[in-house]
Amino acid sequence: MDAMTTRRPPVDHIVRTRDLYSSLGHDPYRWVRNDGSPPWTELRKPLRECRVGLVGSGGVYRAGQVAFHHRDDISLRVIDTSVPVSELRTSHFAYDQTDARIDPNVVFPVDTLHTLVAEGVIGELSPRAYAFMGGIYSARRVRDVLAPEISRRLAEDQVDLALLVPV
Amino acid sequence: MGLIARRVEADGIPTTSLTSALSITRSVDPPRAVFLDYPLGHTAGKAKDPEQQREVVAAALAAVDELEQPGAVKMLPYRWSRDDDWKRETMLGGDARSHRSSSPEYQCEADRALAVAAGDCPTCVFL
């Protein structure tokens, strides 16, 4: 078996985006930079008793739902987690969706979470998961509109823990 | 997604975030993150590899018990391929983003027909 080569450092997506925008003649994108300690909430029960909520930004929708548009769409899709993954689709303006369309679990791990419930690693998967299309240009709209909406729904679903899967 | 993690956590629900974009995660600074050093679009593991997907997602969940420092990032050991040439190709890659229009972009035309036939979409939340 061939040996692994030396590992290169992770791709710096901030630099990559800056270079891309600059090559297109756009102003540099200003990423959110949060200083100071992030908020913190302790888990209130053992993982094996937790109801887990899933939120993914890979642009997943279910066949029958309206797909995302690619002009700053900040809408949400509520996905029933009993859905067969064969009914999940993706629509996203920015990443290569080839593998996500072959196996949606790579960006929206519903089968994976069902496996972890069956193994007793987590208590249950919330019946509702939430999907949107990441890469939203306006941090303000995410902070003021999308984030509170997702947070409110997760609280309503009484999840003990949220697993967030960005793309 | 980091902004969402921070809001959900501030509202009283613990979060754990997978990520394949380390610099963005460090900048936005969610409460807990688990880094998988893969090309974008595989945040929860490789396609058709349920065993690896299971390990990646289990590692993300376990981080809630393991990480004690707000903003900590747990690094996963997996490599995408034997060499890391894909990283150079990613940096050199041009603009592969799709044209921005405000009509829905369906994965396939059959989905459009299904959505149109369904009419109102009660599980679509337009904000």
Side-chain angles (χ1 to χ4, degrees), chain B residues 2-14:
Chain B
L3 292 173
I4 291 161
R6 291 172 69 101
R7 174 60 188 251
V8 171
E9 190 101 13
D11 287 347
I13 297 172

Side-chain angles (χ1 to χ4, degrees), chain A residues 40-97:
Chain A
W40 189 260
T41 301
E42 296 284 348
L43 205 58
R44 292 180 187 86
K45 50 173 89 159
L47 206 47
R48 64 176 184 280
E49 294 172 16
C50 284
R51 170 182 278 203
V52 176
L54 170 65
V55 182
S57 64
V60 170
Y61 67 96
R62 182 180 184 165
Q65 290 180 322
V66 177
F68 296 96
H69 67 71
H70 293 185
R71 191 170 180 172
D72 293 323
D73 196 338
I74 64 159
S75 65
L76 264 185
R77 299 293 173 274
V78 183
I79 312 268
D80 178 339
T81 53
S82 65
V83 65
V85 291
S86 59
E87 290 184 23
L88 296 181
R89 307 283 190 263
T90 70
S91 179
H92 198 292
F93 74 100
Y95 77 94
D96 180 350
Q97 294 159 85

Side-chain angles (χ1 to χ4, degrees), chain A residues 89-132:
Chain A
R89 307 283 190 263
T90 70
S91 179
H92 198 292
F93 74 100
Y95 77 94
D96 180 350
Q97 294 159 85
T98 310
D99 285 341
R101 289 178 171 182
I102 293 167
D103 181 1
N105 287 295
V106 302
V107 292
F108 205 69
V110 274
D111 285 344
T112 322
L113 287 163
H114 282 303
T115 300
L116 292 166
V117 173
E119 291 176 2
V121 175
I122 53 175
E124 59 175 323
L125 175 58
S126 174
R128 283 169 294 280
Y130 301 97
F132 65 98

Side-chain angles (χ1 to χ4, degrees), chain B residues 40-54:
Chain B
L40 299 186
H42 316 86
T43 333
K46 285 196 174 180
K48 298 288 178 190
D49 188 347
E51 183 48 38
Q52 190 197 62
Q53 292 167 6
R54 187 211 158 279

Side-chain angles (χ1 to χ4, degrees), chain B residues 68-123:
Chain B
E68 293 174 347
Q69 184 70 30
V73 180
K74 170 174 162 178
M75 312 295 273
L76 296 181
Y78 306 102
R79 288 185 71 170
W80 179 251
S81 53
R82 282 204 182 85
D83 62 55
D84 275 353
D85 289 353
W86 66 268
K87 295 181 181 178
R88 190 161 41 196
E89 286 153 20
T90 302
M91 287 307 281
L92 294 174
D95 189 8
R97 299 171 302 167
S98 69
H99 172 67
R100 296 212 169 206
S101 102
S102 32
S103 345
E105 301 279 350
Y106 288 91
Q107 180 173 324
C108 53
E109 278 308 306
D111 286 0
R112 182 189 309 279
L114 272 177
V116 169
D120 285 345
C121 179
T123 52

